[in-house]
């Protein structure tokens, strides 16, 4: 019966129909009434009925248990009934109806299994005996037990999950002394397992297999408890000693061909597939059962390795021939794969550390076994390619046998050709040849036929493909785990852990005895033959095999990419891959067929979609190969290794052609078949992926011919594609791709309109948007590079295909799409609603388990299929959670697509901006001029940063959400923002100034808001996957953008009355300052550096080895280089944001901002952070100072480090200087500077000490003057490279080659800082003197800090001025002797200065000026009297040097100008020549000589130390003829006038001229404040004046201060400090003192009015005659400053006259182009010089020292008259910028100053005026005026009285400064 029916559905259905009829008849009639004929019709029914009766009675007897019979007595009836029932079932419904009916005896299964369990120990006893025979009862019992187990297994298999559950419940009931469930089956299998050879060995083996198979069947969809019990059964048990044996090991001793092995491995496979489910079960986790469960299953997998390895022995592969062997191999590989898949979630997502550690250990053991076991690897490789291998073996064997037969026939016919008369005499030539041809043709035909069949696996069973499928799956999983291992431990080798080497090795062949000539191909080649269009269209196993084969090859290529790291050598592995894949010809054919099939079919089927998946995998392979295996990519694209076929490229281009129309149809009218749209779009994406890689790798670098030796093997393909745009081409690829972008934008806008309202999310819409964004992104990649290539090839290259992308319509689309990139905001909550509610998984860990592939065509977030299975398992198939996860995946895919789109869009528009700015006028660059582009970028950054920040904020609310940060898109957008802002600064914006200001202010506020978010994102230490370089670049670009916008705001004037704007501007700047400080706090010079306290911040490491130049793309810069640039930018931004005293806002607004800025610095510990970076930079700069100076190479690492470190120190010093300056108005800033002791840090800077020590030693400034003159200096002070000659300019001239010393710049900045500190402290003390004593107390140390600085660096400070006297020797050493004027009559200057030296002198003189101000002077002079005297003497020296330089410069320019204008003068009046210049009266040659002397003297003062200085000295600084602008060496040597004109009118000397002016101002300030007469005025109160005997103190001529009685009793100093008091004090000169009336007769200085009765009580001050001493000698200004006598002795009043002449000439000649700063310089200098001059003249007059110098007095008076003549010096009324209309000082001096000077010098001016009138009259009467040619030649000596004008310039032998 069992053999007859055997689960046959027709027979079984008929039987049960008969059974129903039989049962009905039995109910209607008694059994005795049935005749024999009817009984025969229901014979099987009667048989079943009888079996049922026996089984039922047996069960009753077992229940009663009255008389115990042998087991066979009970087991046989039960087994017969179960066997019959199982054989009569053909489907699940039948099984369910039987098992659930009353027909089945109660407890049948349970009792049958109990009998088997009782039988097992009895059978086990036979394992210990060696009996070769068995009784019939024993054999029957074992057979019945097998029948029972098989029958139950059959019912469980046929009945499905319900039947299995019913059987499991039945096995749960047992006797108290017997195990239940899995333990019962395991016990049966263990007992009956044959240990020795005996009579029932075969039956026991079958019984063991049946028990294990039943357990394997029942484990399917079993409960966790069942699995736990099953795993516990197979736990390792102790063996010998400490060794233990896995529970599975005892069942696999029979090898891979044993049914027991198959059953045991089936159990292992079932348990492996449930590892993840059971590992996350709460009951198992709470009970701590997860680790032992995983460990037991892992041991079973290792047993499976041993079984699998038996297929390869003795160097030969044994292919599994039987179904049992194939099934065993299949099930073992499935177990290994399932175990690896199941362990990965446990490793990264499980909450139990023990479970994670155990899983990690088991996983590593499995990978190690796969890697190190050569046998296992070869078996897996062979099984993966077994269908192809077996067919190749078969085809080769057949071809060889046929070839042997044909050779035999040919040989026979050749020997018998003479007997064949068919061809006559030609037969011996024809017959053999034809025969051999037929042999070859037949052989070739058959070989190609068999090979084709072999490629397609014809003749191989389904089982082989099933094994190949799981083997390929194992390879894929193996690859993933290898990558995971190496990503966790960088020391691991990816090639070692992955199957890379295995796939590139030769596939092992089966036994040569069985198969002749096995294949000699590598495994990868055999696997690649699975990739076939027919396979994909067949579906099922073959389709899966084809897809997985392509994926394996992709992973193999990816493995090479990762293993190579940054090594982009295109030859790595090229030959191996090229050979392994047959040169790419096969893949080329497959792609062509696939593209044709996908493009030709209009209806989309499941098979076509699977073909698309395979095709995209192959195109992905090609795209990867373009970059890392270019020769393979070329072979695939061109049809083979040495082929040049363009068919595949053409059809790939065709795949793009119709997609724009499809997309537009979808967005306009809708498509009936949207599956077709998706298929074509994905196919186009595959092509675009390849084209994008080709353009990136080849478009810009390859030669422009196909046949040339291109740098990249795929260059020919790229060139072919690029030339499709030429005329005559059917498809213009760039236009097609551009149209793809437009259509994608149209579709995206359409989807935005269809977006559902509220929180509803359409997964389908999200998928469409992701698809269109991917198309646009890939297309933009190609278009960006294509545009760049065309512009590089031709500046005005054809870029019309993208011109409309920057127009208003598409810019609106771009802006809308960018602003809607908010998928990250929606994706985070969707994760929380899905997998996040199931456990505390983080997104980062989840993606570590199921990573996405960056190289895939579609935007992917994770390995969705595997991840969905995990979610389904964990959520127990809850549909809501599953739907939420699907939605979450779609949104994350969209976020990834948005990232890709932004990453591609930003470089594209950077190219567009660059091309537009360079090729169009500013007005035409609409996107920049209107600000639309920048606003779009800012909106995109704002939206994206908000989404990321929102996602990150969920970490605080839900620990499980922490997504990995990929900020590449934000890096690109921030780079585009910075570049666009840079371009915008050169373009005139639209609208008025008010609108421009508001727009730029909005931009700045938007940058600040985005920067706030992005700084928060990039500073979290929890973002472990953050690319530090990306985070650093984002910060850098945003701070750069802020700097650019702040600079742009300087061009506009804010509305101070608009408080909202002022508040926005101030708050934004404060916010940016906070961000800059945050950036500084996140930077550290070394990883061990933990100086800063905020440990939660992410640290960016910087060093000083980075190049100073910084490119916007920063492609080659690493994290440290970017961090260094961020350091510089942050400090620069802080300097830019620091309060500026020249503010455009009102004072109260500036002060409020300054207070907020100080608060920001204090709250963020900004100064401590700056001190930290200052220490690091100065330390590096100090260490590298000496090596950098001694190194000749400018590219050495030491010099780079030194320059970079110096740069940082200089930036910090500049910022501190700005803050110190601001402290004069904002006390809060000054207080925090003093509190943080930043000034002490600057004093202690080791760089200053090191550099100054070197500078002084090399400059010989410490030598005595006579020693110094004998020393030749070889290095300029302030320059770091020793003096040397680089290149000869011409004969006698050599170009200087020194370089500026950055340490000297720092030194100058530090000096200015302390100068500003004194000034700010003085201002704040005067303000808070009677307001806040705490402020005064806090500021007192600042003054003494400056004193300490001056004392510490006293030698260094004063050595600056002495260094000026040896610069001439240095200049001679540099320029050579030929550079000097050969004539001894024109001596050079005895002093000189370089640009840096003069800047240092200016800084030092400014510090000295502040030290001599007010109370500071008194305290300093008291503390350091010697230093104070040195300051005064140094100021005298500096005044003499600078006044001599400026005087000679002014004289030379004035005479040269007069010479230039002499030819145009009209000589009809005798005074015409003298009005031009008095020196012309001596003749033109003499005037030229004087001009040369002065010009040479001035130019010899200026030392060109660098090549830049020399270049500036060759550029004319005045608007003159073209010849005047030429270089000196190009001018004719005879044209001395033009040559020396350039010597005093070049940009270098003009630069030094202004610096010298500042030096002179500071020096004059020191002289005036330290002048003896400055302290000669004593003040007193009214009461003191009444008590004093004024007559005894005052003599005629004494100067007094008079104040009316209404003022009150205050000191004079109080009036000086108060403008109101100052206006009520008048100064006068005492004429007489009347003791009787206690009155004075005085003459007021301001009006000249004489007052007769001035009461003594009105006096508030008087001059002390004992302190009236002069500082300057009484000597006039000589005619030529170059005279040797003019440069000896002390400073004289003639030097001040030189200064005033220079001021007058500079103001008159530069009135139309003088900057405000220079005009103010001239005014300040002229006023100080005039006041000091008048004071000195008065002092000399009072002391009557001038009587012995009558001629000097006359000259001085004449010179004073020339300067301050009343007719000339009429004040113009200007209070700000001088506007000189004539050559006088009237416009330079303020009205009060001019009147005061003229009043004091009234006597001298009157005397000089009278004498000049007499001289003019006498000269006119005696000389006789006529135009004489001798005047120009100067040959005839004139007689008579000398010209009065000669006194102004001509010098006699007695002229001297002493």
């Amino acid at each position: 019966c069992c053999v007859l029916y055997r689960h046959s559905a027709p027979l079984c259905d008929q039987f049960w129909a008969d059974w129903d009829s039989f049962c009905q008849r039995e109910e209607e009639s008694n059994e005795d009434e049935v005749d024999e004929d009817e009984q025969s019709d229901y014979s099987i029914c009667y048989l079943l009925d009888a079996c049922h009766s026996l089984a039922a009675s047996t069960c009753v007897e077992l229940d009663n248990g009255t008389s115990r019979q042998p087991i066979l007595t009970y087991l046989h009836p039960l087994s017969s009934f179960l066997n019959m029932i199982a054989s009569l079932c053909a489907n699940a419904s039948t099984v369910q109806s039987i098992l659930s009916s009353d027909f089945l005896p109660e407890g049948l299964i349970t009792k049958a299994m109990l009998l088997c369990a009782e039988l097992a120990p009895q059978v086990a006893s036979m394992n210990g005996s060696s009996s070769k025979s068995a009784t019939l009862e024993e054999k029957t019992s074992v057979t019945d037990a097998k029948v029972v187990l098989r029958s139950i297994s059959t019912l469980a298999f046929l009945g499905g999950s319900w039947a299995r559950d019913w059987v499991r419940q039945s096995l749960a009931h047992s006797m108290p002394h017997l195990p239940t469930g899995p333990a019962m089956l395991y016990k049966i299998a263990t007992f009956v397992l044959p240990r020795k050879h005996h009579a029932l060995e075969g039956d026991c083996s079958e019984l063991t297999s049946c028990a294990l198979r039943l357990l394997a069947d029942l484990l399917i969809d079993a409960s966790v408890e069942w699995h736990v019990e099953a795993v516990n059964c197979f736990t390792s048990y102790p063996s010998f000693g400490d060794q233990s044996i896995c529970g599975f090991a005892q069942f696999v001793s029979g090898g891979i061909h044993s049914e027991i092995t198959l059953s045991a491995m089936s159990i292992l496979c079932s348990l492996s597939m449930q590892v993840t489910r059971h590992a996350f079960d709460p009951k198992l986790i709470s009970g701590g059962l997860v680790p032992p469960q995983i460990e037991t299953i892992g041991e079973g997998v290792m047993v499976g390795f041993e079984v699998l390895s038996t297929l390869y022995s003795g160097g030969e592969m044994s292919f599994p021939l039987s179904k049992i062997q194939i099934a065993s191999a299949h099930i073992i590989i499935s177990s290994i794969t399932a175990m690896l898949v199941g362990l990965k979630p446990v490793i990264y997502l499980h909450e139990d550390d023990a479970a994670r550690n155990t899983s990690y250990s088991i996983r590593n053991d499995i990978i190690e076994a796969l890697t190190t076991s050569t046998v296992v690897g070869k078996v897996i490789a062979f099984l993966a390619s077994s269908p192809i291998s077996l067919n190749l073996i078969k085809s080769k064997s057949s071809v060889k046998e046929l070839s042997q037969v044909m050779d035999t026939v040919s040989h026979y016919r050749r020997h018998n050709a003479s007997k064949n008369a068919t061809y006559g005499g030609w037969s011996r030539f024809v017959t053999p040849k034809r025969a051999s041809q037929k042999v070859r043709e037949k052989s070739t035909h058959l070989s190609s036929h068999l090979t084709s069949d072999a490629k397609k696996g014809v003749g191989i069973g389904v089982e082989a493909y099933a094994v190949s499928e799981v083997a390929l799956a194992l390879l894929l999983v193996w690859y993933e785990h290898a990558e995971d291992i190496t990503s966790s431990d960088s020391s691991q080798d990816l090639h070692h852990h992955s199957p890379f080497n295995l796939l590139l090795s030769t596939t092992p062949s089966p036994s040569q005895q069985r198969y002749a000539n096995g294949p000699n191909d590598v495994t990868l080649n055999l696997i690649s033959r699975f990739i076939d269009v027919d396979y994909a269209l067949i579906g099922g196993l073959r389709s899966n095999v084809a897809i997985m084969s392509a994926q394996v090859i992709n992973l193999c290529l990816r493995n090479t990419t990762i293993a190579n790291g940054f090594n982009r050598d295109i030859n790595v592995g090229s030959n191996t891959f090229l050979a392994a894949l047959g040169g790419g010809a096969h893949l080329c054919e497959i792609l062509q067929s696939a593209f044709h099939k996908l493009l030709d079919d209009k209806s989309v089927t499941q098979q076509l979609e699977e073909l698309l998946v395979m095709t995209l995998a192959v195109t992905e392979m090609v795209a990867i190969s373009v970059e890392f295996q270019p020769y393979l990519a070329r072979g695939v694209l061109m049809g083979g290794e040495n082929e040049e076929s363009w068919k595949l490229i053409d059809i790939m281009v065709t795949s793009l052609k119709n997609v724009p129309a499809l997309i537009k149809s979808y967005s306009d009218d809708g498509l009936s078949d949207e599956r077709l749209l998706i298929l074509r779009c994905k196919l186009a994406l595959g092509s675009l992926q390849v084209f994008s890689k080709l353009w990136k790798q080849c478009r810009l670098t390859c030669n422009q011919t196909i046949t040339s030796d291109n740098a990249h093997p795929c260059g020919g393909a790229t060139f072919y594609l690029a030339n499709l745009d030429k005329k005559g081409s059917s498809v213009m690829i760039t236009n097609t791709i551009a149209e793809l972008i437009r259509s994608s934008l149209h579709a995206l806008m359409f989807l935005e309109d269809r977006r559902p309202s509220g929180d509803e999310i359409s997964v389908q819409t999200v998928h469409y948007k992701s698809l269109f964004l991917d198309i646009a992104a890939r297309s933009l990649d190609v278009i960006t590079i294509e545009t760049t290539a065309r512009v590089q090839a031709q500046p005005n290259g054809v870029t019309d295909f993208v011109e409309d992308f920057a127009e208003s319509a598409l810019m609106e689309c771009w802006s809308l799409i960018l602003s809607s990139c908010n998928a990250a905001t929606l994706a985070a909550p969707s994760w929380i609603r899905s997998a996040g509610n199931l456990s505390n998984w983080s997104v980062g860990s989840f993606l570590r388990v199921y990573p996405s592939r960056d190289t895939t065509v579609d935007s992917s977030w994770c390995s969705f299929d595997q991840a969905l299975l995990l979610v389904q398992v964990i959520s127990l198939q809850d549909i809501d959670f599953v739907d939420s996860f699907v939605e979450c995946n779609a949104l994350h895919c969209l976020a990834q697509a948005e990232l890709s789109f932004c990453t591609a869009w930003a470089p594209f528009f950077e190219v567009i901006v660059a091309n537009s700015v360079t090729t169009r006028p500013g007005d035409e660059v609409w996107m920049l001029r209107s600000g639309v582009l920048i606003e779009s970028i800012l909106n995109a950054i704002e939206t994206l940063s908000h989404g990321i920040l929102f996602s990150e904020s969920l970490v605080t609310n839900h620990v499980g959400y922490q997504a990995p940060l990929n900020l590449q898109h934000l890096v690109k957008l921030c780079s585009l923002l910075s570049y666009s802002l840079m371009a915008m600064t050169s373009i005139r914006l639209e609208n008025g100034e008010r609108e421009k200001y508001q727009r730029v202010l909005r931009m700045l506020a938007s940058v600040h808001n985005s920067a706030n978010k992005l700084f928060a994102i990039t500073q979290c230490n929890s973002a472990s996957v953050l690319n530090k370089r990306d985070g650093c670049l984002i910060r850098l670009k945003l701070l750069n953008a802020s700097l650019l916008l702040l600079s742009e705001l300087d061009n506009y004037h804010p509305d101070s009355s608009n408080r909202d704007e002022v508040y926005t501007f101030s708050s934004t700047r404060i916010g940016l300052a906070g961000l800059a400080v945050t950036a500084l706090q996140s930077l550290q010079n070394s990883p061990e550096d933990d100086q800063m306290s905020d440990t939660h911040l992410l640290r960016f490491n910087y060093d000083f080895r980075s190049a100073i130049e910084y490119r916007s793309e920063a492609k080659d810069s690493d994290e440290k280089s970017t961090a260094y640039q961020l350091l510089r930018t942050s400090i620069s931004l802080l300097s830019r944001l620091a309060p500026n005293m020249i503010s455009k806002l009102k004072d109260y607004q500036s002060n409020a901002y300054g207070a907020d800025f100080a608060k920001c610095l204090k709250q963020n510990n900004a100064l401590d952070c700056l001190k930290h970076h200052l220490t690091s930079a100065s330390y590096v700069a100090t260490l590298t100072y000496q090596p950098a100076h001694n190194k000749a190479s400018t590219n050495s690492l030491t010099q780079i480090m030194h320059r970079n470190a110096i740069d940082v120190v200089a930036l910090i010093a500049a910022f501190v200087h700005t803050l110190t300056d601001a402290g004069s108005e904002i006390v809060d800033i000054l207080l925090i500077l003093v509190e943080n002791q930043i000034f002490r840090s600057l004093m202690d800077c080791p760089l200053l000490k090191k550099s100054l020590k070197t500078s002084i030693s090399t400059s010989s400034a410490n030598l005595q003057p006579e020693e110094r003159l004998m020393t030749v200096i070889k290095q300029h002070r302030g320059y770091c490279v020793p003096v040397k000659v680089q290149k000869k300019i011409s004969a006698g001239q050599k170009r200087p080659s020194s370089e500026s010393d950055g340490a000297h710049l720092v030194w100058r900045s530090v000096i200015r800082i302390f100068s500003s500190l004194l000034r700010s402290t003085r201002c704040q003390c005067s303000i808070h003197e009677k307001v806040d004593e705490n402020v005064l107390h806090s500021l007192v140390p600042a003054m003494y800090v400056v004193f300490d600085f001056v004392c510490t660096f006293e030698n260094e400070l004063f050595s600056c001025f002495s260094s000026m006297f040896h610069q001439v020797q240095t200049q001679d050493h540099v320029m050579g002797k030929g550079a000097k004027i050969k004539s001894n009559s024109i001596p050079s200057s005895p002093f000189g200065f370089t640009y840096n030296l003069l800047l240092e002198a200016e800084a030092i003189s400014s510090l000295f000026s502040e030290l001599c101000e007010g109370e500071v002077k008194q305290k300093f002079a008291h503390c350091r009297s010697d230093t104070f005297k040195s300051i005064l003497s140094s100021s005298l020296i500096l005044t003499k040097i600078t006044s001599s330089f400026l005087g000679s410069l002014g004289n030379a320019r004035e005479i040269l100008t007069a010479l230039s204008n002499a030819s145009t003068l009209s000589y009809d009046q005798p005074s015409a020549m003298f009005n031009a210049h008095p020196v012309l009266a001596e003749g033109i040659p003499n005037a030229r000589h004087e001009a040369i002397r002065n010009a040479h003297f001035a130019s010899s003062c200026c030392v060109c130390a660098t090549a830049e200085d020399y270049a500036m000295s060759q550029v004319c600084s005045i608007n003159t003829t073209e010849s005047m602008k030429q270089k000196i060496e190009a001018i004719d040597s005879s044209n001395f006038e033009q040559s020396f004109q350039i010597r005093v009118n070049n940009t270098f000397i003009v630069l030094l001229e202004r610096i010298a002016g500042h030096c002179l101002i500071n020096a004059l300030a020191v002289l005036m404040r330290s002048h003896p007469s400055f302290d000669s005025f004593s003040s007193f109160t009214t009461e003191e004046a009444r008590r004093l005997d004024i007559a005894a103190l005052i003599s005629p001529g004494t100067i007094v201060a008079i104040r009316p009685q209404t003022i009150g009793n205050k000191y004079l100093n109080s009036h000086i400090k108060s403008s109101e008091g100052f206006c009520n004090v008048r100064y006068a000169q005492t004429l007489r003192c009347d003791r009787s009336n206690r009155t004075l007769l005085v003459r007021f200085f301001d009006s000249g009015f004489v007052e007769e009765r001035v009461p003594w009580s009105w006096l508030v001050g008087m001059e002390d005659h004992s302190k009236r001493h002069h500082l300057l000698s009484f000597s006039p200004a000589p005619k030529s400053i170059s005279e040797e006598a003019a440069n000896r002795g002390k400073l004289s009043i003639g030097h001040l006259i030189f200064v005033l002449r220079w001021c007058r000439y500079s103001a008159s000649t530069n009135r139309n182009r003088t900057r405000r700063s220079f005009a103010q310089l001239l005014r300040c200098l002229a006023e100080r010089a005039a006041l000091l001059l008048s004071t000195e003249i008065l002092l000399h007059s009072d002391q009557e020292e001038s009587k012995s110098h009558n001629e000097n007095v006359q000259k001085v008076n004449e010179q004073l008259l020339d300067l301050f003549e009343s007719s000339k010096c009429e004040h113009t009324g200007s209070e700000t910028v001088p506007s000189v209309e004539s050559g006088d000082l009237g416009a330079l001096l303020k009205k009060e100053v001019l009147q005061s000077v003229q009043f004091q010098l009234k006597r001298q001016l009157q005397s000089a005026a009278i004498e000049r009138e007499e001289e003019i009259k006498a000269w006119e009467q005696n000389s006789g005026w006529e135009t004489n040619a001798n005047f120009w030649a100067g040959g005839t000596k004139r007689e008579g009285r000398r010209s009065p004008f000669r006194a102004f310039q001509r010098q006699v032998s007695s002229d001297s400064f002493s």
Side-chain angles (χ1 to χ4, degrees), residues 1489-1562:
H1489 184 67
E1490 289 300 327
I1492 290 173
R1493 289 163 64 91
N1494 284 276
H1496 176 66
F1497 183 90
S1499 62
S1500 64
C1501 295
C1502 304
V1503 180
C1504 295
T1506 66
E1508 292 77 10
D1509 296 343
Y1510 181 82
M1512 292 175 63
S1513 68
Q1514 309 303 303
V1515 180
C1516 186
S1517 61
I1518 60 175
N1519 294 327
T1520 181
T1521 60
E1522 189 66 26
S1523 60
M1524 294 290 290
K1525 298 181 182 180
Q1526 297 176 357
K1527 295 183 178 180
I1528 293 177
E1529 54 266 32
I1531 299 176
D1532 187 9
S1533 59
S1534 62
N1535 196 342
F1536 289 104
E1537 182 180 336
Q1538 292 184 1
S1539 173
F1540 284 93
Q1541 181 80 276
I1542 294 181
R1543 283 180 178 266
V1544 294
N1545 287 292
N1546 58 73
T1547 54
F1548 180 64
I1549 204 169
V1550 168
L1551 181 63
L1552 295 186
E1553 174 186 13
R1554 298 195 179 191
I1555 302 174
H1558 286 285
C1559 292
L1560 187 55
I1561 288 177
N1562 296 328

Side-chain angles (χ1 to χ4, degrees), residues 849-860:
V849 180
Y850 304 112
S852 63
R853 293 299 181 195
D854 299 335
T855 55
T856 53
V857 170
D858 297 327
S859 295
S860 62

